[in-house]
Amino acid sequence: LLLTLISTPQLGKCQQIKRTKVISTDSIPFVLTEHNNLIIKATLNKKDSLDLMFHTAASSLSIIKDVADSIQSIKWDQEDKVGSWGGENSARYSSKNNLKIGNQTWKNIKLWDCKHSGHHSDGKFGLDLFKNKVVEINFDLNQIVLHDSLPESMQGFDKLNLEYDNGFMFLSAISDDGGNTYINKFLLHSGFAGSILYDDEFIASNKFGEKLEILTEKELKDSFGNIIKVKKAQLPIFKIGSTLFKDIPVGFFEGGKGRQKMSVIGGDVLKRFNIIIDANKEFIYLKSSQLSKLPYSTV
């Protein structure tokens, strides 16, 4: 199980992206992997084919080191400090690259290297590439659809407030341990294969580790190979908008308080919705997808 999150705001701030071709509506096919990652075909510098993971909790474009070292079209500039779940690390970057995804092309895009990305991917990118676009993630059609404005028909969608902070998207959801309900803010993290991951402060304050039955223990790796232990338990009810999830597996980190600062909604939950994110990232619209009744993932 691989958990990847680039969490430094400087990645988004330093990246200057110039769009050279804009299509009013563009459908980009993706493959949903067994690890609940979205894999998209891309072309780098007009010659190198890549399988990139679309990552809702990453702002920059990055490629894993083993792949990056084999691509001669990348000209590396220098190293800089970047942060991840496990701490601060150094990473190379390349300032001027061309990228093509679907009918969208960009030039002079900054590219970083990293040690890990999602399974079956050469690297990852986030919503920064689709600036000023309404982004629809349609799990019924396995497509990301880019719109200039919200679709005319939004029937059946829940409209929820979205908090956008330093390139990260958060929404509020309700956890019910069978006797008490708790409202918490969750990062939308398509790079995390699991369902729900709680922050340390939430777990410590509400003593979930004592109230819930522990099902399993696993190890996760961040983008730089740092290992973190996570416990999985079963939560009676989890609610997003009007949608109830019953007996959902939830995770939390073992160890000192403060390491995991954000609660996370991962790919095993996100795939159960068709999702529309407005261009200003003020609202998110959710409607149950054809995957909503699937058993929870065991990866």
Side-chain angles (χ1 to χ4, degrees):
L1 179 62
L2 184 67
L3 178 64
T4 58
L5 171 65
I6 298 299
S7 58
T8 50
Q10 68 262 33
L11 293 187
K13 291 181 178 178
C14 68
Q15 179 166 290
Q16 299 298 317
I17 298 174
K18 182 178 180 181
R19 184 180 299 278
T20 59
K21 186 176 182 182
V22 178
I23 307 298
S24 59
T25 300
D26 187 22
S27 297
I28 302 170
F30 65 78
V31 173
L32 180 65
T33 73
E34 70 274 19
H35 292 272
N36 298 317
N37 296 147
L38 282 64
I39 306 299
I40 290 173
K41 295 289 184 181
T43 302
L44 182 68
N45 297 325
K46 300 182 180 181
K47 60 186 299 186
D48 297 301
S49 297
L50 297 172
D51 290 327
L52 297 179
M53 177 177 68
F54 175 62
H55 196 326
T56 58
S59 56
S60 61
L61 170 67
S62 62
I63 298 179
I64 57 176
K65 180 174 173 55
D66 290 346
V67 173
D69 287 343
S70 67
I71 298 178
Q72 296 183 355
S73 67
I74 302 175
K75 307 301 180 185
W76 297 104
D77 296 309
Q78 55 184 306
E79 290 190 353
D80 203 351
K81 293 291 186 180
V82 296
S84 72
W85 295 64
E88 192 174 60
N89 294 268
S90 294
R92 295 178 297 175
Y93 67 86
S94 173
S95 296
K96 297 181 179 181
N97 297 276
N98 295 316
L99 184 69
K100 185 174 188 295
I101 297 175
N103 291 319
Q104 305 289 322
T105 59
W106 300 264
K107 71 176 184 179
N108 294 328
I109 185 171
K110 182 171 283 189
L111 168 68
W112 297 81
D113 78 341
C114 60
K115 289 186 179 180
H116 298 284
S117 184
H119 292 268
H120 313 301
S121 73
D122 301 314
K124 53 187 175 287
F125 71 96
L127 281 168
D128 276 13
L129 291 190
F130 303 143
K131 188 176 181 180
N132 300 322
K133 286 286 186 178
V134 173
V135 179
E136 176 184 352
I137 308 172
N138 191 312
F139 286 96
D140 292 341
L141 301 176
N142 281 357
Q143 291 180 345
I144 292 176
V145 186
L146 307 179
H147 305 270
D148 286 334
S149 59
L150 288 172
E152 290 185 7
S153 176
M154 300 288 287
Q155 185 176 0
F157 281 86
D158 263 357
K159 180 181 179 181
L160 304 176
N161 291 325
L162 192 64
E163 180 180 337
Y164 188 66
D165 184 18
N166 286 326
F168 299 149
M169 295 185 295
F170 299 87
L171 59 75
S172 294
I174 296 174
S175 302
D176 188 328
D177 63 8
N180 299 287
T181 58
Y182 310 87
I183 298 177
N184 197 23
K185 184 172 72 173
F186 291 84
L187 170 70
L188 302 183
H189 190 339
S190 64
F192 174 47
S195 54
I196 306 299
L197 184 67
Y198 288 107
D199 66 89
D200 295 343
E201 184 176 351
F202 178 88
I203 291 297
S205 299
N206 300 305
K207 303 185 186 303
F208 263 29
E210 302 173 13
K211 297 176 181 178
L212 304 180
E213 179 185 357
I214 305 300
L215 303 176
T216 62
E217 295 187 25
K218 290 186 178 181
E219 290 185 347
L220 303 180
K221 288 184 179 181
D222 70 4
S223 295
F224 298 94
N226 300 296
I227 296 176
I228 308 168
K229 290 184 178 180
V230 63
K231 292 184 177 182
K232 184 181 286 187
Q234 184 170 279
L235 182 71
I237 293 175
F238 187 76
K239 186 177 181 182
I240 303 174
S242 62
T243 302
L244 283 176
F245 296 90
K246 294 183 178 180
D247 298 325
I248 185 172
V250 298
F252 53 92
F253 288 134
E254 179 186 61
K257 180 180 176 181
R259 183 173 206 174
Q260 178 55 29
K261 299 182 183 300
M262 303 177 187
S263 290
V264 165
I265 294 174
D268 197 24
V269 170
L270 294 177
K271 72 181 182 184
R272 299 168 194 274
F273 297 100
N274 290 322
I275 301 168
I276 297 176
I277 302 164
D278 78 345
N280 295 323
K281 300 181 182 64
E282 294 176 337
F283 300 100
I284 188 169
Y285 302 82
L286 303 177
K287 182 179 181 179
S288 292
S289 74
Q290 295 175 359
L291 308 180
S292 61
K293 302 300 183 183
L294 286 179
Y296 293 114
S297 175
T298 59
V299 297

